[in-house]
Amino acid sequence: MSENVESKKELELLKSKIRELEALVNILEQSQKESELLDFPWIGNLGRWNWLIQSNEVHFNPAKATNLGYSLDELPEKVGFEFFTQKLHPDDYDDVMQNMRNHLEGRSNAYEVEYRIKRKDGSYAWYYDRGKVSKYTDKNTPLIISGIVFDVSKNKELELELKIANEKLKQIAFLDELTHLANRRLLLEKLESEYNRANRYSETFSIVMVDIDHFKRINDTYGHNTGDLVLQNLANILSSRARDTDVVSRWGGEEFIILLPHTNIRDAKTVAESIRQAVSHASLGINERVTISLGVSEYRKSISPNKLIEEADCLLYEAKCNGRNCTCCSK
């Protein structure tokens, strides 16, 4: 009796295998008629693939494997779905598997995904993969998925180069080349945004304008290269004492502006004095003491961003007239 049961199971498996193969033959014949799919002109085309779901066999163009650095002799006799999924980049694995499940369960019209897959030499290639259920069983469950795959590594390299180029353009547009602080353009943009926020929520903020005392004499005595070093060292001190929400910028020449959101005049003066004292005790790259003068202005509803900067500039001039190395604040 048990032999008959085993024989029936084997017979059913054989019939299932035959049905899969017959369906695959029909799909391949159809593909031959659709030459535009087989001879797709896109760069990186690795050809068609078919996954026989019940027997877990993948039939594919050899280019899909040789592109990964494997010879045909190195492939197992039966290539299953896991032959490729085991080589997926860890960060892409869940996305690929979920994408496939969504399609098999009818939640998406196609399986379509980009992923990184490990080559034999350990490097990763970028693939674009798109497939669709091409055959169902009599019970309307997926039997075969057919698709086409491309190596898009070059495209990804170009995307990365473009991203790097855009970052460089952003630095040119918004960062000071010498100090790597925000430049005047970015400071004005942030100041306008903070002005609108403070107006909307009836809050306040302050700005601190900083200027190096006797900077012309430093340049004349030590040269412009040393002067640049002094500016860079000062920029580092300003940045080290800033909060994540603050904007430290080079306004021009030896002048800097710090935007302090959510900061009233009293607290802004404390920040300014802390910076002044730090600079007066620091070595900025020359064998003499370097000091700074500061002007601090607080936002009020009656003052525009430009007027706020003008006010801080006037207060800075007042600090210079008071003997330098000091801080003057708005009342």
Side-chain angles (χ1 to χ4, degrees), residues 95-137:
D95 186 40
V96 172
M97 301 306 287
Q98 187 59 52
N99 202 294
M100 179 61 79
R101 282 193 293 269
N102 287 343
H103 181 52
L104 289 176
E105 295 168 9
R107 293 195 297 271
S108 64
N109 292 327
Y111 159 76
E112 185 172 19
V113 67
E114 285 187 343
Y115 55 81
R116 286 159 289 184
I117 186 165
K118 185 181 287 187
R119 297 186 178 101
K120 184 180 176 181
D121 63 8
S123 64
Y124 281 92
W126 273 97
Y127 279 8
Y128 164 74
D129 214 346
R130 191 177 196 281
K132 197 167 186 175
V133 175
S134 53
K135 189 70 176 180
Y136 290 87
T137 66

Side-chain angles (χ1 to χ4, degrees), residues 73-251:
D73 295 338
E74 294 177 290
L75 300 180
E77 183 177 346
K78 175 182 173 181
V79 177
F81 187 58
E82 66 281 354
F83 177 82
F84 296 103
T85 58
Q86 288 173 353
K87 296 174 177 57
L88 290 172
H89 191 286
D91 293 343
D92 300 333
Y93 181 87
D94 289 342
D95 186 40
V96 172
M97 301 306 287
Q98 187 59 52
N99 202 294
M100 179 61 79
R101 282 193 293 269
N102 287 343
H103 181 52
L104 289 176
E105 295 168 9
R107 293 195 297 271
S108 64
N109 292 327
Y111 159 76
E112 185 172 19
V113 67
E114 285 187 343
Y115 55 81
R116 286 159 289 184
I117 186 165
K118 185 181 287 187
R119 297 186 178 101
K120 184 180 176 181
D121 63 8
S123 64
Y124 281 92
W126 273 97
Y127 279 8
Y128 164 74
D129 214 346
R130 191 177 196 281
K132 197 167 186 175
V133 175
S134 53
K135 189 70 176 180
Y136 290 87
T137 66
D138 295 339
K139 296 181 181 179
N140 204 36
T141 57
L143 182 67
I144 296 177
I145 292 184
S146 301
I148 191 166
V149 62
F150 298 88
D151 183 338
V152 294
S153 300
K154 290 184 178 180
N155 289 359
K156 288 296 180 178
E157 289 174 6
L158 290 174
E159 286 180 15
L160 179 60
E161 290 176 5
L162 182 61
K163 181 179 179 181
I164 293 172
N166 284 335
E167 286 298 322
K168 288 181 178 179
L169 287 174
K170 183 178 179 181
Q171 290 181 4
I172 293 172
F174 294 110
L175 296 183
D176 176 64
E177 185 177 0
L178 177 66
T179 63
H180 298 150
L181 298 178
N183 62 14
R184 179 186 290 237
R185 178 179 177 181
L186 181 57
L187 183 278
L188 290 174
E189 182 179 297
K190 295 292 186 180
L191 181 59
E192 184 71 25
S193 176
E194 187 62 24
Y195 171 81
N196 291 333
R197 186 200 61 78
N199 260 335
R200 186 179 304 114
Y201 299 108
S202 299
E203 296 182 0
T204 192
F205 66 91
S206 297
I207 64 170
V208 177
M209 182 170 279
V210 180
D211 185 87
I212 300 175
D213 296 329
H214 302 297
F215 186 69
K216 183 179 184 304
R217 182 178 59 78
I218 293 174
N219 271 336
D220 292 343
T221 303
Y222 298 97
H224 288 281
N225 288 339
T226 300
D228 287 348
L229 179 61
V230 170
L231 291 171
Q232 290 170 330
N233 288 332
L234 174 59
N236 291 336
I237 293 175
L238 298 180
S239 296
S240 69
R241 294 184 170 267
R243 303 168 299 181
D244 291 340
T245 54
D246 298 339
V247 180
V248 183
S249 69
R250 185 182 180 194
W251 185 242

Side-chain angles (χ1 to χ4, degrees), residues 11 57 112 129 137 174 219 235 264-265 270 292 301 318:
L11 182 59
E57 291 184 42
E112 185 172 19
D129 214 346
T137 66
F174 294 110
N219 271 336
N264 59 33
I265 192 66
T270 300
I292 56 175
K301 281 193 174 181
E318 183 179 329

